[in-house]
């Protein structure tokens, strides 16, 4: 059995998730998943979602980030962050396991 380190979530990402929850009037977890496809082989699917029984749950101050067990090895030791740039504001993944990624930052290969 190999140990898989979960990703970390930055203070900026937790703060943005809290802002989203406040604006919606409810706390809904952020799901970060890895799926096949995208221009580099895999892509990130980041959305507000309900927890599943087998999810890995990262929690801070009542906010939750969900990762399914299939995605966890692809996200080992990654960093979930939030950025607000000229091209737009969005959650981003800094993934040390990715050997390359596309320009948009949502797809990668290993």
């Amino acid at each position: 059995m190999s140990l898989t380190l979960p990703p970390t979530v930055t203070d900026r990402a937790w703060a943005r998730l809290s802002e989203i929850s406040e604006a919606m009037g409810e706390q809904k977890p952020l799901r970060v998943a890895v799926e096949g496809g995208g221009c580099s082989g895999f892509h990130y699917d980041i959305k507000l979602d309900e927890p599943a029984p087998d999810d890995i749950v990262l929690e801070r101050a009542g906010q939750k980030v969900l990762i399914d067990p299939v995605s966890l090895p692809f996200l080992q030791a990654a960093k979930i962050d939030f950025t607000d740039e000229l091209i737009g504001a969005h959650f981003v993944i800094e993934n040390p396991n990715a050997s390359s990624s596309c320009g948009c930052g949502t797809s990668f290969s290993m």
Side-chain angles (χ1 to χ4, degrees):
M1 179 173 142
S2 64
L3 177 64
T4 301
L5 299 174
T8 58
V9 182
T10 66
D11 291 342
R12 191 172 32 217
W14 285 122
R16 181 60 182 144
L17 187 54
S18 181
E19 290 170 2
I20 291 168
S21 294
E22 188 175 313
M24 291 177 52
E26 67 176 312
Q27 290 184 334
K28 198 149 190 183
L30 181 73
R31 177 173 300 283
V32 178
V34 174
E35 297 180 349
C39 51
S40 294
F42 296 100
H43 75 275
Y44 300 112
D45 184 23
I46 302 172
K47 62 185 175 187
L48 298 177
D49 198 10
E50 295 299 324
D54 58 348
D55 282 337
I56 306 303
V57 180
L58 307 174
E59 187 170 5
R60 182 167 137 189
Q63 302 300 320
K64 295 178 183 179
V65 173
L66 311 172
I67 301 162
D68 65 87
V70 173
S71 298
L72 185 60
F74 295 100
L75 295 168
Q76 178 171 301
K79 186 188 321 180
I80 301 166
D81 198 5
F82 183 81
T83 184
D84 190 356
E85 302 172 338
L86 188 57
I87 60 170
H90 56 278
F91 288 96
V92 294
I93 311 296
E94 294 176 25
N95 192 338
N97 307 302
S99 59
S100 66
S101 63
C102 68
C104 66
T106 61
S107 78
F108 65 99
S109 63
M110 295 184 83

